[in-house]
Amino acid sequence: LIYDPVGIFVCGHAGVCASDQRDSHYGTDFYAQFIHTGCGVFYYTAKEGVLFGAGMEELIAYPPASLAKSYTVPRQVRKIAAQAFRRCQNLETVTLPEGLGTIEDETFCQCGSLKEAVLPASVTSIGSSAFRECTALKKVTLSSALEEIREYAFSDCRNLADIVIPEGVTSIGDYAFQKCLCLRKVVLPASVASTGLSVFRFCRSLE
């Protein structure tokens, strides 16, 4: 394996690949898990410790060991990979760009310090467990274009107090708001055609 500082990983055809990248600030071998076996050349860009695909249109992973409290996703990003920010315990705010279509599965799962989520108007879907166990999350502003909230999306967001689900949402998945213990008020639009199992299970403060 060869690591080019520009962000090009060249992978040979002889066995398991592992990155020789070392970064004490972001953790040892942070990039290694994204390099596959025996498959030629992969192009990545690493900027301020954050891993992107070629052209920076996809954010692949944010380093969970980062001490930063805030992060602004570059405006050219159109996709954030599943689990990209998972377990980033120090992040309190993340600014998302217009043009982002989906919050993928487990994107912000277990970000224990995340306080607020504002989704750009372009987002149409929130994936499974996308914000699960974001225990400090108090405020969520959903996209006006949103169509679906999948299972466990906001499960265990214990400090979330209220949420307005916009007109146009047609589906809310199983346990989507389970154990949101401080949730007092939910506004549901007429457009919701289906709700899954126990969407508001254990929401003991719900009026």
Side-chain angles (χ1 to χ4, degrees):
L1 177 74
I2 301 170
Y3 172 72
D4 186 310
V6 175
I8 302 174
F9 289 88
V10 183
C11 172
H13 295 276
V16 176
C17 300
S19 175
D20 61 0
Q21 173 77 2
R22 298 290 185 271
D23 191 326
S24 60
H25 184 66
Y26 294 112
T28 303
D29 291 333
F30 168 66
Y31 299 104
Q33 61 186 305
F34 304 102
I35 308 303
H36 306 289
T37 62
C39 41
V41 180
F42 293 91
Y43 294 89
Y44 295 104
T45 298
K47 184 177 181 181
E48 297 178 354
V50 182
L51 190 65
F52 298 89
M56 290 188 64
E57 292 189 355
E58 180 179 7
L59 190 155
I60 296 171
Y62 183 92
S66 173
L67 300 177
K69 294 185 181 297
S70 64
Y71 180 69
T72 298
V73 177
R75 65 176 181 269
Q76 64 265 45
V77 170
R78 292 295 175 264
K79 179 180 180 181
I80 299 176
Q83 301 185 358
F85 289 90
R86 189 181 182 201
R87 293 179 180 169
C88 292
Q89 294 291 344
N90 294 309
L91 273 179
E92 296 180 2
T93 60
V94 177
T95 303
L96 301 174
E98 289 294 337
L100 191 66
T102 301
I103 305 298
E104 300 286 348
D105 296 352
E106 298 186 28
T107 297
F108 296 99
C109 182
Q110 297 176 325
C111 290
S113 298
L114 191 67
K115 295 179 179 179
E116 182 178 4
V118 178
L119 305 189
S122 51
V123 171
T124 59
S125 175
I126 300 175
S128 175
S129 299
F131 292 92
R132 187 173 184 172
E133 295 182 43
C134 290
T135 52
L137 189 64
K138 292 183 178 180
K139 183 179 180 181
V140 174
T141 303
L142 298 179
S143 163
S144 58
L146 193 64
E147 298 174 0
E148 68 168 347
I149 300 172
R150 295 187 62 196
E151 63 273 11
Y152 295 99
F154 293 95
S155 178
D156 293 273
C157 291
R158 296 172 180 241
N159 281 294
L160 185 61
D162 57 76
I163 191 164
V164 176
I165 297 173
E167 187 68 38
V169 172
T170 59
S171 174
I172 303 176
D174 299 345
Y175 309 105
F177 294 92
Q178 175 183 244
K179 295 183 182 178
C180 291
L181 302 181
C182 293
L183 190 63
R184 300 188 308 269
K185 183 179 180 181
V186 178
V187 177
L188 289 174
S191 59
V192 174
S194 66
T195 56
L197 296 172
S198 303
V199 170
F200 298 103
R201 187 185 186 196
F202 299 131
C203 295
R204 62 191 184 194
S205 301
L206 198 59
E207 297 173 356

